[in-house]
Amino acid sequence: MPEAKLSKGQLIQSDPNRMANLEMRNNLEALYLLMDKLYKRNPSEWKKGSASSRDAAETQIRHAIDQHTPLPGLDARDTKAMELALDPHFKGDRVATFIYGIGDMLVTAHGGKHVFYLIDGLDAQRVYNAARNVEIAM
């Protein structure tokens, strides 16, 4: 089996940091795959938002999650956005709101970071709560 190459950033990471990086990356990739599937199944949703196309909607959502900033046109973040997406009276883009809510909650639970180094710590309770929230949402 070939050896994995070590990147510069990994020199200042512990094994738990690397595991947290992989966990965050894999969770967000799975979330973006879910977003793609939900938009394919519900093509009218992206039209309820400010995006000009499905691809533009997906890019907006990814950018907001990656930059840990609010989604344009949405006044809710984290679990509040998830709740809003499931509210029967909500008229906006449910896919964007739901996916953004989950992604924002995951990033918030990880201290607002996507990459972790030796000086970074994780709050186990917040990560556990985020995992439970995802489980409940599913």
Side-chain angles (χ1 to χ4, degrees):
M1 177 179 265
E3 290 185 29
K5 296 198 187 272
L6 192 64
S7 71
K8 290 178 190 174
Q10 288 176 327
L11 293 174
I12 55 174
Q13 292 177 334
S14 65
D15 288 339
N17 293 137
R18 286 192 285 280
M19 292 302 294
N21 290 338
L22 291 172
E23 174 255 335
M24 180 61 91
R25 183 193 70 200
N26 291 343
N27 283 336
L28 290 177
E29 284 177 6
L31 187 62
Y32 297 148
L33 180 61
L34 175 62
M35 173 178 61
D36 183 57
K37 289 181 179 189
L38 287 173
Y39 271 138
K40 284 179 180 174
R41 181 168 274 196
N42 304 286
S44 63
E45 285 301 313
W46 68 263
K47 295 173 185 170
K48 296 177 184 178
S50 61
S52 59
S53 68
R54 183 172 65 95
D55 288 339
E58 289 184 8
T59 299
Q60 270 185 347
I61 298 162
R62 283 176 177 259
H63 180 75
I65 293 170
D66 291 345
Q67 299 302 312
H68 198 50
T69 58
L71 186 65
L74 186 63
D75 291 332
R77 295 189 71 166
D78 204 305
T79 55
K80 297 293 183 196
M82 293 168 61
E83 291 174 22
L84 182 63
L86 299 173
D87 183 335
H89 303 293
F90 181 60
K91 303 290 185 209
D93 181 346
R94 290 182 188 279
V95 173
T97 304
F98 187 68
I99 296 298
Y100 170 75
I102 292 175
D104 191 55
M105 177 194 59
L106 290 173
V107 174
T108 299
H110 289 83
K113 298 180 178 191
H114 288 80
V115 179
F116 308 94
Y117 298 100
L118 287 172
I119 61 170
D120 297 323
L122 292 176
D123 182 335
Q125 187 63 52
R126 290 179 81 179
V127 173
Y128 172 80
N129 291 346
R132 289 286 297 141
N133 288 340
V134 171
E135 182 180 30
I136 291 166
M138 295 302 132

